[in-house]
Amino acid sequence: MGCVHGKCCCGENSSSDDGSKDYRETAFIRGHMKNVLSQRSLKRATVPSHNFNLEYTFLTQRGYYPDSPDKENQDSFCISTELQGDPSVHFFGVYDGHGQFGSQCSNFVKDRLVEKLVNDPALLEDPVQGYNSAFLATNLELRSSSEIDDSMSGTTAITVLVIGDTLFVANVGDSRAVMAVKDGNRVVAEDLSSDQTPFRKDEYERVKLCGARVLSVDQVEGLKDPDIQNWGDEESRGGDPPRLWVPNGMYPGTAFTRSIGDSLAETIGVTATPEVKTFRLTPDHLFFVVASDGIFEFLTSQTVIDMSGTFGVGSDEINEGAVMSSRTGTPEIPAAHESDVHPSLGTSFSGQPAASVMSPAIEVHSPACPKPID
């Protein structure tokens, strides 16, 4: 969920009367996904350092905005294999643009972020520092070197760097990465990232110290008591989550606390510094999904994992690769090498509920249950 000025908040159509998201398991999703997933094709990237293959696919579909049928798709994604010429290093990124120039922002970041990672000679020695440097440098370049007005526009970013059997997950914003973990006879969802929103106590306190007012739209418009600083949790938030506002204005209204761009929001604490988490893969890790809030606003992490397994990302396939789905209108994916670009687009597990917003997502299968390199 982006800012109130640039992205559909899905209002009354996003939940039932009691605030629950009543379309997560609808026949519409399942029927739609069966048709979409049957069209996908798998791509392959080898990881010779640990003797396995990654297989991934990506499909895309524009989100449904009932009040804006001609709304521009603002999101983009990047797949870049063999970073720095290393066949065991691969990158997956999803960028969820918002604001008037959200499309330009997401495409700019799509190009520049991976470029900075590729050109960082110390990346493989210290991926966490490399990620931090790349995010901050990209944010600075967007502001100072591009012609894009990022004052009220920007992009979230959820990215995964695969180095051998280790995942480095870097996130700014309310996008998410989720791992499918084998637990006995079940496959359970384990979040690899934490949405950066005012629902999080630490993020709430951080932006408040920077001068942000944290209020829902109803509160800032005087329809509800602004002194009540408790909005429940993200699962039951309905269509009016807490947002960030300048002390004496009705802007920017961002529902996230970190992003690239959004220079006005930076004055009240929004930052481009990513949270970077590291995960060593084990045989119980089956695959992971990375998606923007256009998916997780409507589907729980567990539902996304269940749908991924149900629609062809299970059983024999579940150990073999990576799946990436995205809501993007961009026909090309920038990568370190032209041979790494896979321009096939569509939509994967990210089903489109009625009156919802589709969004980019990545699903990556674990090398811990490897398919040996041929």
Side-chain angles (χ1 to χ4, degrees):
M1 185 172 294
C3 66
V4 292
H5 302 284
K7 187 169 182 180
C8 174
C9 299
C10 298
E12 62 187 24
N13 291 320
S14 64
S15 61
S16 61
D17 292 339
D18 63 359
S20 64
K21 300 173 184 179
D22 55 4
Y23 37 71
R24 284 178 173 161
E25 296 290 344
T26 62
F28 176 88
I29 295 177
R30 295 192 175 278
H32 176 71
M33 291 315 303
K34 192 172 295 184
N35 291 333
V36 169
L37 288 179
S38 66
Q39 302 171 18
R40 75 182 188 189
S41 60
L42 289 173
K43 306 292 182 180
R44 176 176 293 185
T46 63
V47 183
S49 65
H50 288 75
N51 193 36
F52 67 87
N53 289 316
L54 286 178
E55 289 184 351
Y56 58 90
T57 188
F58 44 91
L59 304 131
T60 187
Q61 180 174 326
R62 180 189 177 279
Y64 174 50
Y65 297 82
D67 296 328
S68 303
D70 298 321
K71 180 177 174 61
E72 180 184 16
N73 191 337
Q74 295 183 304
D75 302 338
S76 59
F77 69 88
C78 170
I79 299 174
S80 183
T81 58
E82 300 189 14
L83 262 68
Q84 300 188 351
D86 190 324
S88 296
V89 181
H90 310 291
F91 176 83
F92 303 86
V94 163
Y95 310 97
D96 183 354
H98 53 262
Q100 182 179 357
F101 304 109
S103 177
Q104 293 93 318
C105 289
S106 70
N107 280 283
F108 181 91
V109 174
K110 174 189 70 174
D111 291 334
R112 296 299 194 277
L113 183 62
V114 70
E115 180 181 287
K116 295 186 184 307
L117 293 173
V118 168
N119 293 325
D120 182 354
L123 175 65
L124 301 185
E125 297 175 10
D126 192 346
V128 175
Q129 180 56 44
Y131 252 143
N132 276 280
S133 298
F135 271 73
L136 293 175
T138 300
N139 186 61
L140 180 61
E141 187 176 337
L142 173 62
R143 183 150 312 145
S144 60
S145 303
S146 76
E147 297 181 354
I148 303 169
D149 178 2
D150 75 336
S151 58
M152 294 278 284
S153 299
T155 184
T156 64
I158 182 73
T159 67
V160 177
L161 181 65
V162 180
I163 301 180
D165 66 347
T166 303
L167 308 181
F168 296 88
V169 181
N171 182 46
V172 292
D174 51 4
S175 299
R176 191 181 306 171
V178 183
M179 178 71 75
V181 183
K182 183 180 179 182
D183 181 14
N185 293 326
R186 302 184 305 149
V187 176
V188 298
E190 177 184 336
D191 288 342
L192 302 182
S193 63
S194 178
D195 298 1
Q196 297 150 355
T197 75
F199 284 109
R200 273 178 52 176
K201 188 171 186 271
D202 58 341
E203 289 292 283
Y204 167 84
E205 292 176 346
R206 183 179 63 79
V207 297
K208 288 281 283 187
L209 287 174
C210 294
R213 290 189 300 156
V214 181
L215 303 166
S216 69
V217 171
D218 281 351
Q219 287 177 311
V220 82
E221 291 180 345
L223 301 177
K224 291 184 178 179
D225 186 351
D227 293 329
I228 299 176
Q229 297 281 280
N230 185 350
W231 302 272
D233 57 38
E234 291 189 75
E235 293 302 318
S236 60
R237 65 188 176 182
D240 193 23
R243 298 175 178 272
L244 277 57
W245 313 88
V246 297
N248 298 304
M250 299 281 285
Y251 63 91
T254 62
F256 47 80
T257 55
R258 303 194 190 201
S259 71
I260 298 177
D262 297 293
S263 59
L264 286 177
E266 277 195 7
T267 65
I268 53 172
V270 173
T271 178
T273 302
E275 288 184 313
V276 184
K277 298 185 178 182
T278 304
F279 300 89
R280 180 63 59 83
L281 295 168
T282 75
D284 290 331
H285 294 147
L286 304 179
F287 61 90
F288 68 84
V289 178
V290 183
S292 84
D293 78 309
I295 289 185
F296 291 113
E297 186 176 348
F298 301 98
L299 304 173
T300 64
S301 297
Q302 187 62 55
T303 298
V304 169
I305 292 299
D306 292 343
M307 291 174 67
S308 301
T310 299
F311 297 113
V313 191
S315 61
D316 293 340
E317 279 190 23
I318 207 166
N319 302 329
E320 299 178 358
V323 177
M324 176 174 182
S325 74
S326 173
R327 181 195 71 203
T328 174
T330 308
E332 296 180 350
I333 309 169
H337 309 287
E338 187 65 28
S339 60
D340 298 332
V341 178
H342 305 286
S344 172
L345 304 177
T347 303
S348 179
F349 59 86
S350 48
Q352 180 184 333
S356 76
V357 183
M358 287 290 295
S359 190
I362 300 175
E363 177 186 315
V364 181
H365 297 256
S366 168
C369 300
K371 176 180 179 181
I373 298 173
D374 295 335

